[in-house]
Amino acid sequence: MSIEADSTFDAASRFPCRRVEMGLDRRAWLQRAGSGLGMLALADLLGAGRSARGNEPSTSVESHHDEAPRHDPLAPKAGHHAAKATRVIWLFMEGGPSAVDLFDPKPELQQRHGEKIDIDVFFGNPGPLMKSPFEFKRYGECGAWVCDRYQHVAKHVDKFAMLKSCYSGSDNHVPALYQMNTGIPRPGFPAAGSWITYGLGSESRNLPGYVVLGNTQGVKGGPLNWSSGFLPATYQGTLFRTEGNPVLNLRRAQEISELDQRSQLDLMSRLNQRHAERYPAEPDLTARIEAFELASRMQTEASEVVDLSRETEETRELYGLHDPRSRSFGGKCLMARRLIESGVRFVQVYSDGEWDAHSKLTQNHTDHCAATDVPIDGLLTDLERRGLLESTLVIWGGEFGRMPVSQSGDGRDHNPNGFLTWMAGAGIKGGTSVGETDEFGYKATVDPISVHDLHATMLHLLGIDHERLTYRHLGRSFRLTDVAGTVIDRVLS
Amino acid sequence: MIGMPHARHLDRARSSQQPTTEWRALFAAFLCGSLSLAISFPSALFAVQDSAAFDPEPLRSSVSVDSDRPIVAYEFDERSGDVVRDLSGIEPAEDLQIDAPERVRWGWDHLQIIGSVRIRTQSPPAKLIQAIKASGELTIEAWLRSASLTQNGPARIVTLSGSPDARNVTLGQALNAFDARLRAEATSLNGMPSLGSGDVSVSNDRVQQVVFSRADDGTTSLRIDGELKATGRAAGSLENWSEEFQLVLANEASGDRPWLGDLHAVAIYDRVLTDQELADHREAQESRLREFAAKIPVASTSPVDFVTHVGPILKARCLECHGTGNEEGGLNLGLRDRALEGGRHGASIIARDALSSALIHRVAHLDPSLAMPPDEQPLTPVEIGILRRWIDDGAVWPASADVPDPRIERAREHWAFRPLVAPNIPSSDDPTTPEADQADEFGWPIDRFVDAKLKELGIEPGAAVADVNLLRRVTFDLTGLPPTPDELAAYTAAAATNPKGAYAETVERLLASEAFGERWARHWLDVARYADSDGQEGDRDRPAAWRYRDFVIRAFNDDLPYDQFVAWQLAGDELAPNELDALAATGFLTAGTSTELENTFLEEERLRNRYNELDDMLATTGVGMLGLTVGCARCHDHKFDAVSAREYYRLLASLHSGDRTTIRRKFGDESSEDIELLVFADASAKPATTWLFDRGDFRDRDQEVQLGFPAVLTSGVTSTDYLEHARQNRQREDSSYQRAALAAWMIDVEQGAGKLLARVIVNRIWQRHFGEGLVRTVDDFGVRGDLPTHHELLDWLAADLVENGWSLKRLHRRIVSCRAYTRSTEVTSQMLAADPDGRWLSHRRPRRLEAEALRDAMLAAAGTLEQTSYGPPFKPPIASEAMVARNLKTAYPSDINETPDTLRRSVYMFHKRVVPYPLFQAFDKPDALQSCGRRESTTVAPQALAILNDPFVRTRALEFARRLSPRTDESIENVVQRAFVIALGRSPEADELETCCDFLQQALERRRGETAASDTDPEMSSDENVELEPAMQLAWADFCQALFGLNEFLYVD
């Protein structure tokens, strides 16, 4: 008996979950194409024992849409278990908002204001403890504390699960942004939105499955924050602009009319069809013909989805579009709603500017609250009245939080050791709170929540077992949650 | 174990006055394991079998207890922790505390005592002392196995005492006899004289029932397994018993009389148990054993031998997790001494007692939650029978049969790590197949291997592809460009008379062109994750990085031997410190992302960054050159990996003394210009200290390590040998030469990693010619990677490569010359059934151009490709809306216009990591953040949008139209014909021609209408080269753009 149990090509059965069959198995494709179910065999996605060769994919990877192109890696798929949420809107507060000044007041900080404590800070030179400049009140049935700058958001606290003990692995914006988005504080890994569209596909046929509404000045770390990493590029986030051309290459050149382009499309289609007939066993060729038609439809639909003039005045006002301070973020929140209504799976909305209050915290946070307070209220109200909140997970949070001690006299430095994120909507038990930081808000002390835990919870709500959503790359099966992550089940409804 | 439930349920049975039969049913349930207490050995001590004992009666007070029940009872079935529970059910429970938990190991059903430890009550056990004083009787019943026959003192097994010379009662071991001392009126306060069981009473290879009793008439007795060994007298009342003594197991209260062995059960009664009761206990035990044994496959009836029968089972089924390197649960089943010692959960193998051996319990799946091996096929009954017999026969294990490192042993057997020996070329019964290397038949050995496989599988290979398609295929494969219309015409003419000669000549022409290096460098740059900026937040430009890119292009064009190519990339600065290309080659190490952190930032952040960068370099080296995932070992030993954590850090030592740095120096004489290079360089000749970090955490320095290379790829030589040799040949004094040693090991085919290096590069090149590698997981040649479809062919090509001076051009020539390469993409239904994805090479499949080849092909069709080779990179215009990153230390210019420089080949494009070129991003160019050996080929709408609306594409279409320069008097058919040859390398078919002409006529009409309605397009009219009317120019551009959107343009047949 030798260690290799069998010298034949048997490795697949020895390590059933370690194989990738992406696009390799033409036989299986041909069989399924015959029954109208042509699809990439996402064997790895479904985890152990589901090699495309050994097991035909179940209905969980079938297309539910007649008009979906065959061989469409974005066709909607069922997850591992029943999903509470089918879509996500992630309000990303770039720069790192301060928990102790917004949702998690610390009386000890007020009392010991000015006292020096032993603490490590990113930029060096820690100041003394600094009390919050804001007033706090309790709101809702749950009695959650919210600061006076977030009075509109405060109306919704009974929908929130406050995750007060989040921590991450880097003091530095970009690694922390990468970690919050991809689980790993380094560039080059797929973003959560990419993993999710890889796992579940998208309901939208005419829009990308993962849309990013960036901020006016650009996000630190750039598009690597919504990159598909080593996953196929199909799953990368698409940046939508709120003004001008919403998506790159969406508008025709000036010299080409709609009719000109239509006739180009028809010519390509005829010649491509003819060509494809010579290759009956190559699904890519057919898929590409359909990609042109999809692109054509997308030109119309993407332009429509960003056209906020189609909304009523009441709705526009609800999102704060009438106030110059909140117009930009409000527009993006409204667009996020329009996108998920169109079937987009995952929308990430970056706040404008940065919550990065190294100095003048009062001004910084007052401004950012003013920019986001009404829009968030509007979004939650609107989602609720349209019945969308029960299937949409809304997340609010930054890449890290801020220190309890002062910096430059009136600011706060980065703090990855303890910060706050809240979730609301689909599958979330409202009015709950998990975890605590210490008496100052410096470090997560009770039930610390890692970024992997946040991701695991997000995936769980979407019906995905985070340990089984894998992709094989460079000799290893990767996950969004790496080798960690625990679902925070106390916040689940 | 069932002790506790017995006692507890006994209570319940009594208090609720349930009839005996129910109790028996409950008992049966335990026996059958239906309450998940499958392992119940040896227990049953306290399960009284006599039905009379179960007569309902009310519970008595906690001190005055039933005469038939133990006052304290311990069964050691906790399996973990430092508490042994009192299972008597008589309150208060006298739980025992283990004061040195590290000196015990929990077994399935027992506690193994491996060092001096006291297992004792927290306070004097009043219920016990009072009950015994009241009755004047006692029985200590202990089920145990002694660890040795040499312990003495006596070694205390059970004692109710205060010190070595003050006791109530003690059961101990004196060498090979048991010894009991009891304080009574007629004995000393130390219980002397003692009662000994007589020599040869103690066994160290089986569990014994040891019983010491004292009746109220003073008679004492010692019984071993029912046999009366000794009787004595300790007369008088027990009124002189101290109530201050604690109950201690395995030691004296003072801690200086330790006993070593296994405790299975201990119970103390306030009466004398009858012979019948003791026999019942043994019977219950045996019956339990019988029940238990019935669940385990029977022992093999024929004799077993470790080397022949047992070792292979352990090797195949256990060592992956329980061998050196991965001692899960502390258990190592690869080494005799360690295996017999057991793991953290106790002994695994108990010689001559298979039924007590946890190994057997686990593999027999007696408790599903603890079954072994986990998540895999269980062992067969025959295999378990072999193990059972082997243990029962004494677990004989010759030391020579030890497996010192199963990971290495297993890995050494893995195909990719075996020595490289050229297999014999299969013979052929086809009279047309050549036997020797000739220019036009150079690929024959490949076909022999391929054809042999096809024949074996009964697949009929397809025909050869048409000449024009073959030219297009080989031109794209070797140069990344389409054939020009002239080349096409010349080839068609030459092939008409001498197809083989024409093809061979073409291959030579292509291999000799600069475009060859430009094409193949791009593939290697993917592997090297090359880019022109830092990545990360600042994304600072690296203006000198392109020297590495030029090194790669030049290396391929000059056919630099691959071993030297590799060695220079690891240590060019040490091996040839005065050569520009050798220094530039170290750009392989430096090409990864980096962050410049301010000195004021936390030290922790900077260290984290440093180790991430080193990890990136090492991981890229491992994957890129050897197809090995070494990165996983950064945090832990992985059972599947060929590289252990220790080996990872020893490899890391090769890089740890250096860092990326920019240098400026002259190459050549004084008059030559200073050249700036981004290189890797050591700080000094003295190697930096490298630590093994526990779990990859750089704050946890576990131990210092020296340079070393993975054992699985090293034989008969050590890292020190390589290092000494490298230092002897040193050309500079300021470098540690550890990377030179790494390079020497890397290219050493005989004793180092060279055999794998050769296999991996052959496979990479094969993949780029065929679309898939012979090993499909091109970046993973480890034990979890795919096996090669044609193992012998791969080995033959690798050996051929090494034998011929690592010449890659020669390898290319071989590959593109074989018939398998020149097959058509046409498929028959037989092929689709037997070889659906072409892995057996019966046919070819069309392949999509990479992003760069697509851009270059559009430029080539437009006639505006600027073919200047080498030199600094160009930055292409990028739409401002595609630049979405903030805080860049070097921003990407937003005002770039197209110039001839920006129309150079894509390999010369400046790749800014955080501002990717949109066309490339859409067409799956990797992001250069990690090594990439195999590009994805996705089909998504943004690709279609790019073809339709990207200004680059439209501009090329306009240029293409200008190149066609249709004259007003020329027929549309003629021009379409020309366009097809340029774009697709062939003439249109009649129906295609018709379709195209229809399109153009309509487009012309529409465009003329448009231009008539509006002013003339100023851009068009201002172009002096255009003689065409603007409407015609636009219509033809529409047509040319549509050609760019054809699958036939994007896919190579």
Side-chain angles (χ1 to χ4, degrees), chain A residues 19 26 218 241 255 279, chain B residues 786 836 881 886 954 1007 1053:
Chain A
R19 305 272 120 187
R26 229 170 5 155
R241 268 160 291 272
E255 72 211 36
Y279 301 95
Chain B
D786 273 7
E881 60 237 53
R886 180 163 44 100
R954 180 65 187 175
R1007 287 298 193 177
D1053 182 84

Side-chain angles (χ1 to χ4, degrees), chain B residues 204-231:
Chain B
N204 62 350
D205 60 13
R206 62 190 168 81
V207 176
Q208 293 176 296
Q209 181 197 35
V210 182
V211 178
F212 171 68
S213 295
R214 193 252 189 193
D216 66 355
D217 66 357
T219 313
T220 56
S221 65
L222 262 171
R223 288 178 169 79
I224 316 287
D225 294 332
E227 188 185 334
L228 183 62
K229 288 288 189 181
T231 57

Side-chain angles (χ1 to χ4, degrees), chain B residues 113 115 144-157 172-178 202-204 250 257-262:
Chain B
I113 293 134
L144 54 87
R145 179 206 320 271
S146 172
S148 85
L149 306 186
T150 56
Q151 40 192 343
N152 203 352
R156 313 299 203 239
I157 301 167
Q173 178 188 342
L175 301 177
N176 58 4
F178 292 106
V202 182
S203 165
N204 62 350
R257 298 289 189 280
W259 177 84
L260 306 185
D262 302 347

Side-chain angles (χ1 to χ4, degrees), chain B residues 88-378:
Chain B
S88 66
I90 296 169
E91 296 297 328
E94 291 289 355
D95 294 348
L96 305 175
Q97 188 74 31
I98 304 171
D99 72 350
E102 70 280 6
R103 295 190 187 137
V104 302
R105 287 187 186 141
W106 285 103
W108 280 74
D109 57 355
H110 65 272
L111 185 67
Q112 186 182 17
I113 293 134
I114 56 173
S116 177
V117 60
R118 280 174 294 194
I119 302 166
R120 58 184 167 184
T121 53
Q122 296 301 85
S123 52
K127 66 171 181 180
L128 182 67
I129 297 170
Q130 287 168 20
I132 292 172
K133 276 170 85 167
S135 68
E137 296 199 338
L138 77 96
T139 299
I140 298 174
E141 180 179 6
W143 287 77
L144 54 87
R145 179 206 320 271
S146 172
S148 85
L149 306 186
T150 56
Q151 40 192 343
N152 203 352
R156 313 299 203 239
I157 301 167
V158 179
T159 187
L160 190 57
S161 55
S163 74
D165 33 56
R167 72 196 62 260
N168 289 344
V169 64
T170 296
L171 173 65
Q173 178 188 342
L175 301 177
N176 58 4
F178 292 106
D179 177 285
R181 296 175 179 182
L182 175 72
R183 176 189 288 193
E185 270 177 340
T187 63
S188 79
L189 290 182
N190 200 20
M192 298 299 279
S194 65
L195 179 67
S197 63
D199 286 353
V200 206
S201 300
V202 182
S203 165
N204 62 350
D205 60 13
R206 62 190 168 81
V207 176
Q208 293 176 296
Q209 181 197 35
V210 182
V211 178
F212 171 68
S213 295
R214 193 252 189 193
D216 66 355
D217 66 357
T219 313
T220 56
S221 65
L222 262 171
R223 288 178 169 79
I224 316 287
D225 294 332
E227 188 185 334
L228 183 62
K229 288 288 189 181
T231 57
R233 278 190 64 75
S237 86
L238 303 181
E239 278 307 312
N240 59 351
W241 270 38
S242 165
E243 304 212 350
E244 301 301 315
F245 295 157
Q246 282 164 249
L247 176 64
V248 187
L249 306 189
N251 218 326
E252 184 50 74
S254 52
D256 52 0
R257 298 289 189 280
W259 177 84
L260 306 185
D262 302 347
L263 287 174
H264 286 257
V266 170
I268 305 177
Y269 297 79
D270 62 346
R271 66 187 181 90
V272 178
L273 269 62
T274 64
D275 285 349
Q276 184 58 47
E277 283 175 312
L278 293 174
D280 286 346
H281 288 182
R282 288 194 303 280
E283 171 53 29
Q285 169 62 13
E286 274 160 32
S287 118
R288 193 74 42 79
L289 269 176
R290 278 194 302 276
E291 294 254 359
F292 178 72
K295 294 181 194 162
I296 299 178
V298 293
S300 169
T301 49
S302 48
V304 299
D305 170 62
F306 182 82
V307 175
T308 328
H309 304 104
V310 179
I313 297 174
L314 298 178
K315 218 163 155 186
R317 309 307 305 277
C318 311
L319 295 197
E320 205 163 273
C321 302
H322 299 295
T324 308
N326 280 307
E327 293 174 4
E328 291 189 10
L331 180 62
N332 187 329
L333 291 174
L335 306 173
R336 177 179 165 272
D337 292 349
R338 297 287 315 279
L340 296 177
E341 187 180 301
R344 279 195 290 279
H345 298 291
S348 179
I349 297 165
I350 294 164
R352 281 184 289 283
D353 191 354
L355 288 182
S356 307
S357 296
L359 176 73
I360 300 295
H361 304 166
R362 298 248 179 170
V363 298
H365 284 215
L366 292 177
D367 180 343
S369 67
L370 296 167
M372 287 287 159
D375 308 327
E376 272 191 62
Q377 281 293 313

